[in-house]
Amino acid sequence: MTDATAEASETPAKKKGMLLPILLVAALGGGGFASTFLGVWSPSALLAPGEEKPAARAEGAPGLDFIDVPRIRLSIPNDPPRTLILTAKIETGTADRAQVEHLMPRVSDAFNSFLADIDPKAFGRRGVLEIVRAELVTRARYVLGDAVVKDLLITEFMLQ
C-alpha cells in the first residue's frame, strides 16, 4: 500500500514539472512574435550584419522645416455627395524650403489629380489613409525630388 501511495504522489509532481517548461516556451515564443510584429526588432537584421540602421531623427531636429500644403477641399461623387478635406505638411531640409514653396502649385495639382481619381467606395475601406499618404509622398517626391522630400504629414483628413 505504501508503494501505491508513493507512485500516486509522484505523478502530479511530474505533471507540474512538465507544465512549467511548456508555459515558459509558449510565453517566450509569444513575446518574440509580438516584438517582431510590433517592429521592436527584426530577425532579418540579424542575418545581414553589414547593414547599419540610420540614426533616428529627433523631433524638431535642426535643419528641418515643415511647409504647409494648401488645404484641399474636393467633392466626391457619391450617394449622397460627400466632401473630402485634406491638410498636409511636407517635411524638408531648411536649404530646400524655397524650392518647395516655389513648386507648391505643382504639388497641389498632383495631390488634387490623385485624390480626384480615387473611387468613392475606397474612402469607406479600412487603411485608406495609409494608402493615400503613401501615394501623396510618391507624388511629392516626383515633383520636388527624392532628396528634397523627407516625409509628408497629414494633419487633417476629413470626409463630410
Side-chain angles (χ1 to χ4, degrees), residues 72-111:
I72 297 172
R73 185 179 203 108
L74 187 69
S75 295
I76 299 172
N78 205 359
D79 190 32
R82 299 184 337 185
T83 302
L84 168 70
I85 298 172
L86 180 117
T87 307
K89 293 178 182 276
I90 295 176
E91 181 179 348
T92 187
T94 305
D96 299 318
R97 182 178 183 90
Q99 178 185 0
V100 173
E101 288 174 346
H102 178 70
L103 292 174
M104 190 55 69
R106 288 191 183 269
V107 172
S108 293
D109 178 57
F111 286 7

Short mmCIF file of all heavy atoms in Angstrom, two decimals, residues 72-111:
data_model
loop_
_atom_site.label_atom_id
_atom_site.label_comp_id
_atom_site.label_asym_id
_atom_site.label_seq_id
_atom_site.Cartn_x
_atom_site.Cartn_y
_atom_site.Cartn_z
N ILE A 72 -6.87 71.11 -49.23
CA ILE A 72 -7.55 70.56 -50.40
C ILE A 72 -8.98 70.24 -49.98
O ILE A 72 -9.20 69.51 -49.02
CB ILE A 72 -6.83 69.31 -50.92
CG1 ILE A 72 -5.43 69.68 -51.40
CG2 ILE A 72 -7.64 68.64 -52.03
CD1 ILE A 72 -4.56 68.50 -51.76
N ARG A 73 -9.91 70.79 -50.73
CA ARG A 73 -11.33 70.53 -50.50
C ARG A 73 -11.87 69.99 -51.82
O ARG A 73 -11.86 70.69 -52.83
CB ARG A 73 -12.03 71.81 -50.09
CG ARG A 73 -13.44 71.63 -49.73
CD ARG A 73 -14.06 72.97 -49.31
NE ARG A 73 -15.20 72.68 -48.48
CZ ARG A 73 -15.25 72.87 -47.17
NH1 ARG A 73 -14.22 73.40 -46.56
NH2 ARG A 73 -16.32 72.56 -46.49
N LEU A 74 -12.34 68.73 -51.78
CA LEU A 74 -12.69 68.04 -53.02
C LEU A 74 -14.07 67.39 -52.87
O LEU A 74 -14.34 66.72 -51.87
CB LEU A 74 -11.63 66.97 -53.29
CG LEU A 74 -11.67 66.23 -54.58
CD1 LEU A 74 -11.31 67.16 -55.73
CD2 LEU A 74 -10.68 65.08 -54.54
N SER A 75 -14.93 67.60 -53.86
CA SER A 75 -16.25 66.96 -53.85
C SER A 75 -16.11 65.54 -54.37
O SER A 75 -15.49 65.29 -55.40
CB SER A 75 -17.23 67.72 -54.74
OG SER A 75 -17.45 69.00 -54.21
N ILE A 76 -16.72 64.61 -53.63
CA ILE A 76 -16.67 63.20 -54.02
C ILE A 76 -18.06 62.81 -54.50
O ILE A 76 -19.02 62.87 -53.72
CB ILE A 76 -16.25 62.32 -52.83
CG1 ILE A 76 -14.85 62.72 -52.36
CG2 ILE A 76 -16.29 60.85 -53.21
CD1 ILE A 76 -14.43 62.05 -51.09
N PRO A 77 -18.17 62.40 -55.77
CA PRO A 77 -19.50 61.99 -56.26
C PRO A 77 -19.89 60.67 -55.61
O PRO A 77 -19.21 59.67 -55.73
CB PRO A 77 -19.28 61.84 -57.76
CG PRO A 77 -17.83 61.60 -57.93
CD PRO A 77 -17.15 62.28 -56.78
N ASN A 78 -20.95 60.70 -54.87
CA ASN A 78 -21.41 59.53 -54.14
C ASN A 78 -22.89 59.73 -53.89
O ASN A 78 -23.45 60.77 -54.22
CB ASN A 78 -20.63 59.41 -52.82
CG ASN A 78 -20.60 57.99 -52.31
OD1 ASN A 78 -21.16 57.09 -52.91
ND2 ASN A 78 -19.93 57.80 -51.19
N ASP A 79 -23.53 58.79 -53.30
CA ASP A 79 -24.93 58.95 -52.95
C ASP A 79 -25.06 58.83 -51.45
O ASP A 79 -25.02 57.73 -50.93
CB ASP A 79 -25.79 57.90 -53.65
CG ASP A 79 -27.27 58.18 -53.49
OD1 ASP A 79 -27.63 59.38 -53.42
OD2 ASP A 79 -28.06 57.22 -53.45
N PRO A 80 -25.14 59.85 -50.69
CA PRO A 80 -25.17 61.28 -51.01
C PRO A 80 -23.76 61.81 -51.28
O PRO A 80 -22.79 61.22 -50.83
CB PRO A 80 -25.74 61.89 -49.74
CG PRO A 80 -25.29 60.99 -48.64
CD PRO A 80 -25.28 59.62 -49.25
N PRO A 81 -23.65 62.93 -51.99
CA PRO A 81 -22.32 63.50 -52.26
C PRO A 81 -21.61 63.88 -50.97
O PRO A 81 -22.24 64.34 -50.02
CB PRO A 81 -22.62 64.75 -53.09
CG PRO A 81 -24.04 64.66 -53.49
CD PRO A 81 -24.72 63.69 -52.59
N ARG A 82 -20.31 63.66 -50.94
CA ARG A 82 -19.51 63.98 -49.76
C ARG A 82 -18.37 64.90 -50.17
O ARG A 82 -18.06 65.05 -51.34
CB ARG A 82 -18.96 62.71 -49.12
CG ARG A 82 -20.07 61.81 -48.68
CD ARG A 82 -19.71 60.57 -47.96
NE ARG A 82 -18.39 60.02 -48.14
CZ ARG A 82 -18.00 58.87 -47.62
NH1 ARG A 82 -18.83 58.16 -46.92
NH2 ARG A 82 -16.79 58.41 -47.80
N THR A 83 -17.73 65.49 -49.16
CA THR A 83 -16.61 66.39 -49.38
C THR A 83 -15.41 65.86 -48.62
O THR A 83 -15.51 65.52 -47.44
CB THR A 83 -16.95 67.80 -48.90
OG1 THR A 83 -18.11 68.26 -49.60
CG2 THR A 83 -15.81 68.77 -49.16
N LEU A 84 -14.28 65.80 -49.30
CA LEU A 84 -13.01 65.41 -48.67
C LEU A 84 -12.23 66.68 -48.37
O LEU A 84 -12.07 67.54 -49.24
CB LEU A 84 -12.19 64.51 -49.60
CG LEU A 84 -10.74 64.26 -49.19
CD1 LEU A 84 -10.70 63.38 -47.96
CD2 LEU A 84 -9.96 63.64 -50.32
N ILE A 85 -11.75 66.78 -47.13
CA ILE A 85 -10.90 67.90 -46.74
C ILE A 85 -9.58 67.30 -46.28
O ILE A 85 -9.56 66.44 -45.39
CB ILE A 85 -11.55 68.73 -45.63
CG1 ILE A 85 -12.86 69.33 -46.13
CG2 ILE A 85 -10.60 69.82 -45.16
CD1 ILE A 85 -13.68 70.00 -45.06
N LEU A 86 -8.49 67.75 -46.89
CA LEU A 86 -7.16 67.23 -46.56
C LEU A 86 -6.20 68.39 -46.35
O LEU A 86 -6.14 69.31 -47.16
CB LEU A 86 -6.64 66.34 -47.69
CG LEU A 86 -5.27 65.75 -47.42
CD1 LEU A 86 -5.36 64.24 -47.34
CD2 LEU A 86 -4.30 66.14 -48.49
N THR A 87 -5.49 68.33 -45.23
CA THR A 87 -4.44 69.30 -44.94
C THR A 87 -3.18 68.51 -44.64
O THR A 87 -3.23 67.52 -43.92
CB THR A 87 -4.80 70.17 -43.72
OG1 THR A 87 -6.09 70.74 -43.95
CG2 THR A 87 -3.80 71.27 -43.52
N ALA A 88 -2.05 68.94 -45.20
CA ALA A 88 -0.80 68.21 -45.03
C ALA A 88 0.37 69.18 -44.91
O ALA A 88 0.25 70.37 -45.21
CB ALA A 88 -0.58 67.27 -46.21
N LYS A 89 1.49 68.63 -44.45
CA LYS A 89 2.74 69.38 -44.36
C LYS A 89 3.84 68.52 -44.99
O LYS A 89 3.87 67.31 -44.79
CB LYS A 89 3.11 69.67 -42.91
CG LYS A 89 2.18 70.64 -42.21
CD LYS A 89 2.60 70.83 -40.77
CE LYS A 89 1.67 71.75 -40.05
NZ LYS A 89 1.95 73.15 -40.23
N ILE A 90 4.74 69.17 -45.70
CA ILE A 90 5.88 68.49 -46.29
C ILE A 90 7.09 68.76 -45.40
O ILE A 90 7.41 69.91 -45.11
CB ILE A 90 6.14 68.97 -47.72
CG1 ILE A 90 4.96 68.58 -48.62
CG2 ILE A 90 7.44 68.40 -48.26
CD1 ILE A 90 5.07 69.08 -50.04
N GLU A 91 7.74 67.69 -45.00
CA GLU A 91 8.96 67.80 -44.20
C GLU A 91 10.15 67.86 -45.16
O GLU A 91 10.32 66.97 -45.99
CB GLU A 91 9.09 66.61 -43.25
CG GLU A 91 10.30 66.67 -42.37
CD GLU A 91 10.39 65.47 -41.44
OE1 GLU A 91 9.41 64.72 -41.32
OE2 GLU A 91 11.45 65.31 -40.82
N THR A 92 10.95 68.89 -45.02
CA THR A 92 12.09 69.09 -45.92
C THR A 92 13.23 69.75 -45.16
O THR A 92 13.05 70.23 -44.04
CB THR A 92 11.67 69.95 -47.13
OG1 THR A 92 12.73 70.00 -48.07
CG2 THR A 92 11.30 71.36 -46.72
N GLY A 93 14.37 69.79 -45.78
CA GLY A 93 15.52 70.47 -45.19
C GLY A 93 15.37 71.97 -45.30
O GLY A 93 14.69 72.49 -46.18
N THR A 94 16.03 72.69 -44.40
CA THR A 94 15.96 74.15 -44.40
C THR A 94 16.47 74.73 -45.71
O THR A 94 15.92 75.70 -46.23
CB THR A 94 16.78 74.71 -43.22
OG1 THR A 94 16.31 74.10 -42.02
CG2 THR A 94 16.64 76.21 -43.10
N ALA A 95 17.48 74.12 -46.28
CA ALA A 95 18.07 74.62 -47.53
C ALA A 95 17.11 74.47 -48.71
O ALA A 95 17.22 75.21 -49.69
CB ALA A 95 19.37 73.88 -47.82
N ASP A 96 16.16 73.54 -48.63
CA ASP A 96 15.25 73.28 -49.75
C ASP A 96 13.90 73.98 -49.60
O ASP A 96 13.02 73.80 -50.43
CB ASP A 96 15.02 71.77 -49.87
CG ASP A 96 16.30 71.02 -50.16
OD1 ASP A 96 17.09 71.51 -50.99
OD2 ASP A 96 16.50 69.95 -49.55
N ARG A 97 13.74 74.77 -48.57
CA ARG A 97 12.45 75.43 -48.30
C ARG A 97 11.99 76.29 -49.47
O ARG A 97 10.83 76.23 -49.88
CB ARG A 97 12.53 76.26 -47.03
CG ARG A 97 11.22 76.92 -46.67
CD ARG A 97 11.30 77.72 -45.38
NE ARG A 97 10.02 78.26 -45.05
CZ ARG A 97 9.10 77.66 -44.31
NH1 ARG A 97 9.36 76.48 -43.79
NH2 ARG A 97 7.94 78.23 -44.08
N ALA A 98 12.87 77.09 -50.03
CA ALA A 98 12.49 77.99 -51.13
C ALA A 98 12.03 77.20 -52.35
O ALA A 98 11.05 77.58 -53.01
CB ALA A 98 13.68 78.89 -51.50
N GLN A 99 12.69 76.10 -52.65
CA GLN A 99 12.31 75.28 -53.80
C GLN A 99 10.92 74.67 -53.60
O GLN A 99 10.10 74.66 -54.52
CB GLN A 99 13.33 74.17 -54.02
CG GLN A 99 12.97 73.25 -55.17
CD GLN A 99 13.92 72.07 -55.30
OE1 GLN A 99 14.85 71.92 -54.54
NE2 GLN A 99 13.65 71.22 -56.27
N VAL A 100 10.65 74.19 -52.39
CA VAL A 100 9.34 73.59 -52.11
C VAL A 100 8.24 74.64 -52.22
O VAL A 100 7.19 74.40 -52.82
CB VAL A 100 9.34 72.92 -50.71
CG1 VAL A 100 7.94 72.45 -50.34
CG2 VAL A 100 10.32 71.76 -50.68
N GLU A 101 8.47 75.81 -51.66
CA GLU A 101 7.46 76.88 -51.73
C GLU A 101 7.24 77.33 -53.17
O GLU A 101 6.12 77.64 -53.56
CB GLU A 101 7.88 78.06 -50.86
CG GLU A 101 7.76 77.75 -49.38
CD GLU A 101 8.30 78.86 -48.49
OE1 GLU A 101 9.02 79.75 -49.00
OE2 GLU A 101 8.01 78.82 -47.28
N HIS A 102 8.30 77.36 -53.96
CA HIS A 102 8.18 77.77 -55.36
C HIS A 102 7.37 76.76 -56.17
O HIS A 102 6.59 77.15 -57.05
CB HIS A 102 9.58 77.94 -55.97
CG HIS A 102 9.57 78.31 -57.42
ND1 HIS A 102 9.16 79.55 -57.87
CD2 HIS A 102 9.89 77.59 -58.53
CE1 HIS A 102 9.23 79.57 -59.18
NE2 HIS A 102 9.68 78.40 -59.61
N LEU A 103 7.54 75.48 -55.90
CA LEU A 103 6.85 74.43 -56.67
C LEU A 103 5.56 73.96 -56.01
O LEU A 103 4.97 72.96 -56.45
CB LEU A 103 7.79 73.24 -56.88
CG LEU A 103 8.99 73.51 -57.79
CD1 LEU A 103 9.92 72.31 -57.82
CD2 LEU A 103 8.51 73.83 -59.20
N MET A 104 5.08 74.64 -54.99
CA MET A 104 3.87 74.21 -54.29
C MET A 104 2.64 74.13 -55.19
O MET A 104 1.82 73.23 -55.03
CB MET A 104 3.59 75.13 -53.10
CG MET A 104 2.51 74.61 -52.19
SD MET A 104 2.80 72.93 -51.58
CE MET A 104 4.17 73.20 -50.50
N PRO A 105 2.47 75.02 -56.20
CA PRO A 105 1.31 74.85 -57.10
C PRO A 105 1.34 73.50 -57.85
O PRO A 105 0.31 72.88 -58.02
CB PRO A 105 1.44 76.02 -58.07
CG PRO A 105 2.17 77.07 -57.30
CD PRO A 105 3.14 76.31 -56.45
N ARG A 106 2.51 73.04 -58.22
CA ARG A 106 2.62 71.73 -58.90
C ARG A 106 2.30 70.59 -57.93
O ARG A 106 1.67 69.61 -58.30
CB ARG A 106 4.00 71.53 -59.49
CG ARG A 106 4.25 72.39 -60.70
CD ARG A 106 5.53 71.94 -61.39
NE ARG A 106 5.81 72.78 -62.51
CZ ARG A 106 5.37 72.55 -63.74
NH1 ARG A 106 4.63 71.50 -63.98
NH2 ARG A 106 5.68 73.38 -64.72
N VAL A 107 2.74 70.74 -56.68
CA VAL A 107 2.45 69.72 -55.67
C VAL A 107 0.95 69.65 -55.43
O VAL A 107 0.36 68.56 -55.40
CB VAL A 107 3.21 70.03 -54.36
CG1 VAL A 107 2.77 69.10 -53.24
CG2 VAL A 107 4.71 69.92 -54.57
N SER A 108 0.31 70.80 -55.29
CA SER A 108 -1.14 70.84 -55.08
C SER A 108 -1.89 70.22 -56.26
O SER A 108 -2.87 69.49 -56.07
CB SER A 108 -1.62 72.28 -54.88
OG SER A 108 -1.12 72.78 -53.67
N ASP A 109 -1.43 70.50 -57.46
CA ASP A 109 -2.05 69.92 -58.64
C ASP A 109 -1.91 68.40 -58.65
O ASP A 109 -2.86 67.68 -58.95
CB ASP A 109 -1.41 70.51 -59.91
CG ASP A 109 -1.99 69.91 -61.17
OD1 ASP A 109 -3.24 69.98 -61.35
OD2 ASP A 109 -1.22 69.35 -61.96
N ALA A 110 -0.72 67.90 -58.32
CA ALA A 110 -0.51 66.45 -58.28
C ALA A 110 -1.38 65.79 -57.22
O ALA A 110 -1.96 64.73 -57.44
CB ALA A 110 0.97 66.15 -58.02
N PHE A 111 -1.51 66.43 -56.06
CA PHE A 111 -2.34 65.90 -54.99
C PHE A 111 -3.82 65.89 -55.40
O PHE A 111 -4.52 64.90 -55.20
CB PHE A 111 -2.18 66.71 -53.71
CG PHE A 111 -0.87 66.49 -52.98
CD1 PHE A 111 0.15 65.72 -53.52
CD2 PHE A 111 -0.66 67.05 -51.75
CE1 PHE A 111 1.34 65.51 -52.85
CE2 PHE A 111 0.53 66.86 -51.05
CZ PHE A 111 1.52 66.09 -51.61
#
